[in-house]
Short mmCIF file of all heavy atoms in Angstrom, two decimals:
data_model
loop_
_atom_site.label_atom_id
_atom_site.label_comp_id
_atom_site.label_asym_id
_atom_site.label_seq_id
_atom_site.Cartn_x
_atom_site.Cartn_y
_atom_site.Cartn_z
N VAL A 1163 110.44 3.30 -2.74
CA VAL A 1163 110.04 2.42 -3.83
C VAL A 1163 108.57 2.65 -4.19
O VAL A 1163 108.20 2.73 -5.36
CB VAL A 1163 110.27 0.94 -3.46
CG1 VAL A 1163 109.66 0.01 -4.50
CG2 VAL A 1163 111.77 0.67 -3.31
N VAL A 1164 107.72 2.77 -3.15
CA VAL A 1164 106.30 3.04 -3.39
C VAL A 1164 106.12 4.35 -4.14
O VAL A 1164 105.32 4.44 -5.08
CB VAL A 1164 105.52 3.08 -2.06
CG1 VAL A 1164 104.06 3.48 -2.29
CG2 VAL A 1164 105.58 1.72 -1.36
N ASP A 1165 106.88 5.38 -3.77
CA ASP A 1165 106.79 6.68 -4.44
C ASP A 1165 107.13 6.57 -5.93
O ASP A 1165 106.47 7.18 -6.78
CB ASP A 1165 107.71 7.70 -3.77
CG ASP A 1165 107.17 8.16 -2.41
OD1 ASP A 1165 105.98 7.94 -2.14
OD2 ASP A 1165 107.95 8.73 -1.63
N GLN A 1166 108.15 5.79 -6.24
CA GLN A 1166 108.54 5.65 -7.65
C GLN A 1166 107.50 4.86 -8.44
O GLN A 1166 107.27 5.14 -9.62
CB GLN A 1166 109.91 4.98 -7.75
CG GLN A 1166 111.04 5.86 -7.21
CD GLN A 1166 112.41 5.38 -7.63
OE1 GLN A 1166 112.74 5.40 -8.82
NE2 GLN A 1166 113.21 4.96 -6.68
N ILE A 1167 106.87 3.88 -7.80
CA ILE A 1167 105.79 3.15 -8.47
C ILE A 1167 104.63 4.09 -8.74
O ILE A 1167 104.04 4.09 -9.83
CB ILE A 1167 105.33 1.96 -7.61
CG1 ILE A 1167 106.44 0.91 -7.51
CG2 ILE A 1167 104.06 1.33 -8.20
CD1 ILE A 1167 106.14 -0.21 -6.53
N LEU A 1168 104.29 4.93 -7.75
CA LEU A 1168 103.19 5.88 -7.92
C LEU A 1168 103.51 6.90 -9.00
O LEU A 1168 102.63 7.31 -9.77
CB LEU A 1168 102.89 6.57 -6.60
CG LEU A 1168 102.28 5.69 -5.50
CD1 LEU A 1168 102.17 6.47 -4.20
CD2 LEU A 1168 100.91 5.17 -5.93
N ASP A 1169 104.75 7.34 -9.08
CA ASP A 1169 105.15 8.28 -10.14
C ASP A 1169 104.93 7.65 -11.51
O ASP A 1169 104.47 8.32 -12.45
CB ASP A 1169 106.63 8.67 -9.98
CG ASP A 1169 106.85 9.64 -8.83
OD1 ASP A 1169 105.86 10.24 -8.35
OD2 ASP A 1169 108.02 9.78 -8.39
N GLU A 1170 105.26 6.38 -11.63
CA GLU A 1170 105.08 5.68 -12.89
C GLU A 1170 103.60 5.57 -13.25
O GLU A 1170 103.20 5.78 -14.41
CB GLU A 1170 105.71 4.29 -12.79
CG GLU A 1170 105.81 3.53 -14.08
CD GLU A 1170 106.66 2.28 -13.91
OE1 GLU A 1170 106.28 1.42 -13.07
OE2 GLU A 1170 107.67 2.14 -14.62
N ILE A 1171 102.77 5.27 -12.25
CA ILE A 1171 101.32 5.17 -12.49
C ILE A 1171 100.76 6.52 -12.90
O ILE A 1171 99.95 6.62 -13.84
CB ILE A 1171 100.62 4.65 -11.22
CG1 ILE A 1171 101.01 3.19 -10.96
CG2 ILE A 1171 99.09 4.76 -11.35
CD1 ILE A 1171 100.51 2.65 -9.63
N ARG A 1172 101.18 7.59 -12.22
CA ARG A 1172 100.69 8.93 -12.55
C ARG A 1172 101.07 9.32 -13.97
O ARG A 1172 100.29 9.97 -14.69
CB ARG A 1172 101.25 9.96 -11.57
CG ARG A 1172 100.72 9.82 -10.15
CD ARG A 1172 101.14 11.01 -9.30
NE ARG A 1172 100.99 10.70 -7.89
CZ ARG A 1172 101.97 10.34 -7.07
NH1 ARG A 1172 103.21 10.24 -7.56
NH2 ARG A 1172 101.74 10.08 -5.81
N SER A 1173 102.27 8.96 -14.38
CA SER A 1173 102.72 9.29 -15.72
C SER A 1173 101.81 8.64 -16.77
O SER A 1173 101.45 9.27 -17.78
CB SER A 1173 104.17 8.81 -15.91
OG SER A 1173 104.60 9.02 -17.25
N ILE A 1174 101.43 7.39 -16.52
CA ILE A 1174 100.55 6.70 -17.45
C ILE A 1174 99.14 7.28 -17.41
O ILE A 1174 98.48 7.45 -18.44
CB ILE A 1174 100.53 5.19 -17.13
CG1 ILE A 1174 101.91 4.59 -17.47
CG2 ILE A 1174 99.42 4.46 -17.90
CD1 ILE A 1174 102.09 3.17 -17.05
N ARG A 1175 98.66 7.65 -16.22
CA ARG A 1175 97.35 8.28 -16.10
C ARG A 1175 97.34 9.64 -16.83
O ARG A 1175 96.34 9.99 -17.48
CB ARG A 1175 97.00 8.50 -14.63
CG ARG A 1175 96.64 7.24 -13.86
CD ARG A 1175 95.41 6.57 -14.42
NE ARG A 1175 94.91 5.51 -13.54
CZ ARG A 1175 94.12 4.52 -13.92
NH1 ARG A 1175 93.73 4.45 -15.19
NH2 ARG A 1175 93.71 3.60 -13.06
N ASP A 1176 98.42 10.37 -16.72
CA ASP A 1176 98.50 11.66 -17.42
C ASP A 1176 98.41 11.46 -18.93
O ASP A 1176 97.74 12.23 -19.62
CB ASP A 1176 99.82 12.38 -17.07
CG ASP A 1176 99.84 12.89 -15.64
OD1 ASP A 1176 98.75 12.98 -15.03
OD2 ASP A 1176 100.93 13.19 -15.14
N HIS A 1177 99.06 10.42 -19.40
CA HIS A 1177 98.99 10.13 -20.84
C HIS A 1177 97.57 9.73 -21.23
O HIS A 1177 97.09 10.11 -22.31
CB HIS A 1177 99.97 9.01 -21.19
CG HIS A 1177 100.02 8.69 -22.65
ND1 HIS A 1177 99.26 7.70 -23.23
CD2 HIS A 1177 100.74 9.26 -23.67
CE1 HIS A 1177 99.50 7.65 -24.51
NE2 HIS A 1177 100.40 8.58 -24.82
N GLN A 1178 96.89 8.97 -20.37
CA GLN A 1178 95.49 8.62 -20.62
C GLN A 1178 94.63 9.87 -20.75
O GLN A 1178 93.80 9.99 -21.65
CB GLN A 1178 94.94 7.74 -19.49
CG GLN A 1178 95.40 6.30 -19.49
CD GLN A 1178 94.78 5.52 -18.33
OE1 GLN A 1178 94.30 6.10 -17.36
NE2 GLN A 1178 94.81 4.20 -18.43
N ASP A 1179 94.83 10.81 -19.82
CA ASP A 1179 94.03 12.03 -19.81
C ASP A 1179 94.25 12.85 -21.08
O ASP A 1179 93.31 13.45 -21.63
CB ASP A 1179 94.36 12.87 -18.58
CG ASP A 1179 93.91 12.20 -17.29
OD1 ASP A 1179 93.05 11.31 -17.36
OD2 ASP A 1179 94.44 12.55 -16.22
N ARG A 1180 95.51 12.90 -21.54
CA ARG A 1180 95.80 13.65 -22.76
C ARG A 1180 95.21 12.97 -23.99
O ARG A 1180 94.74 13.63 -24.91
CB ARG A 1180 97.32 13.81 -22.93
CG ARG A 1180 97.97 14.73 -21.89
CD ARG A 1180 99.38 15.09 -22.31
NE ARG A 1180 100.23 13.91 -22.38
CZ ARG A 1180 100.93 13.42 -21.37
NH1 ARG A 1180 100.86 14.01 -20.17
NH2 ARG A 1180 101.69 12.35 -21.52
N SER A 1181 95.21 11.65 -23.99
CA SER A 1181 94.70 10.90 -25.14
C SER A 1181 93.19 10.85 -25.17
O SER A 1181 92.57 10.78 -26.24
CB SER A 1181 95.26 9.47 -25.12
OG SER A 1181 96.66 9.48 -25.15
N ASN A 1182 92.59 10.88 -23.97
CA ASN A 1182 91.14 10.74 -23.88
C ASN A 1182 90.61 11.66 -22.78
O ASN A 1182 90.35 11.21 -21.65
CB ASN A 1182 90.76 9.28 -23.60
CG ASN A 1182 89.26 9.05 -23.59
OD1 ASN A 1182 88.49 9.89 -24.07
ND2 ASN A 1182 88.84 7.92 -23.04
N PRO A 1183 90.45 12.95 -23.08
CA PRO A 1183 90.05 13.92 -22.06
C PRO A 1183 88.72 13.60 -21.40
O PRO A 1183 88.48 13.99 -20.26
CB PRO A 1183 89.98 15.25 -22.84
CG PRO A 1183 90.81 15.02 -24.06
CD PRO A 1183 90.66 13.57 -24.40
N ASN A 1184 87.85 12.89 -22.09
CA ASN A 1184 86.52 12.60 -21.55
C ASN A 1184 86.43 11.25 -20.84
O ASN A 1184 85.37 10.87 -20.35
CB ASN A 1184 85.48 12.63 -22.69
CG ASN A 1184 85.40 13.98 -23.36
OD1 ASN A 1184 85.46 15.01 -22.69
ND2 ASN A 1184 85.27 13.98 -24.68
N GLY A 1185 87.52 10.50 -20.80
CA GLY A 1185 87.48 9.17 -20.19
C GLY A 1185 88.63 8.99 -19.23
O GLY A 1185 88.98 9.88 -18.47
N GLY A 1186 89.26 7.82 -19.28
CA GLY A 1186 90.37 7.54 -18.38
C GLY A 1186 89.91 6.88 -17.10
O GLY A 1186 88.73 6.65 -16.88
N GLY A 1187 90.87 6.59 -16.24
CA GLY A 1187 90.56 5.91 -15.00
C GLY A 1187 90.33 4.43 -15.24
O GLY A 1187 90.51 3.92 -16.33
N GLY A 1188 89.89 3.74 -14.23
CA GLY A 1188 89.65 2.32 -14.35
C GLY A 1188 90.94 1.53 -14.45
O GLY A 1188 92.00 1.98 -14.02
N GLY A 1189 90.86 0.33 -15.04
CA GLY A 1189 92.03 -0.51 -15.16
C GLY A 1189 92.97 -0.05 -16.25
O GLY A 1189 92.68 0.86 -17.03
N PHE A 1190 94.11 -0.71 -16.33
CA PHE A 1190 95.11 -0.38 -17.34
C PHE A 1190 95.06 -1.41 -18.47
O PHE A 1190 94.70 -2.56 -18.26
CB PHE A 1190 96.51 -0.38 -16.71
CG PHE A 1190 96.70 0.67 -15.67
CD1 PHE A 1190 96.56 0.37 -14.32
CD2 PHE A 1190 97.02 1.98 -16.02
CE1 PHE A 1190 96.74 1.33 -13.35
CE2 PHE A 1190 97.20 2.95 -15.06
CZ PHE A 1190 97.06 2.63 -13.72
N THR A 1191 95.44 -0.98 -19.64
CA THR A 1191 95.50 -1.89 -20.79
C THR A 1191 96.78 -2.73 -20.70
O THR A 1191 97.69 -2.44 -19.91
CB THR A 1191 95.50 -1.11 -22.11
OG1 THR A 1191 96.72 -0.33 -22.20
CG2 THR A 1191 94.30 -0.17 -22.19
N LEU A 1192 96.85 -3.75 -21.55
CA LEU A 1192 98.06 -4.57 -21.61
C LEU A 1192 99.28 -3.73 -21.94
O LEU A 1192 100.36 -3.90 -21.35
CB LEU A 1192 97.89 -5.69 -22.65
CG LEU A 1192 96.97 -6.86 -22.28
CD1 LEU A 1192 96.74 -7.74 -23.51
CD2 LEU A 1192 97.56 -7.68 -21.15
#
């Protein structure tokens, strides 16, 4: 279960990186 939660978080982080190559990290938006 933890692995699947982490996969979901990584997927969102990857999208952050693609949308904002110079930023990302920190908290998540609503």
Side-chain angles (χ1 to χ4, degrees):
V1163 171
V1164 175
D1165 287 344
Q1166 292 196 65
I1167 293 172
L1168 291 174
D1169 285 344
E1170 189 170 59
I1171 292 172
R1172 292 190 197 100
S1173 175
I1174 292 173
R1175 287 298 191 200
D1176 289 344
H1177 183 266
Q1178 285 181 341
D1179 292 341
R1180 291 193 298 271
S1181 302
N1182 185 15
N1184 298 320
F1190 296 97
T1191 65
L1192 287 170

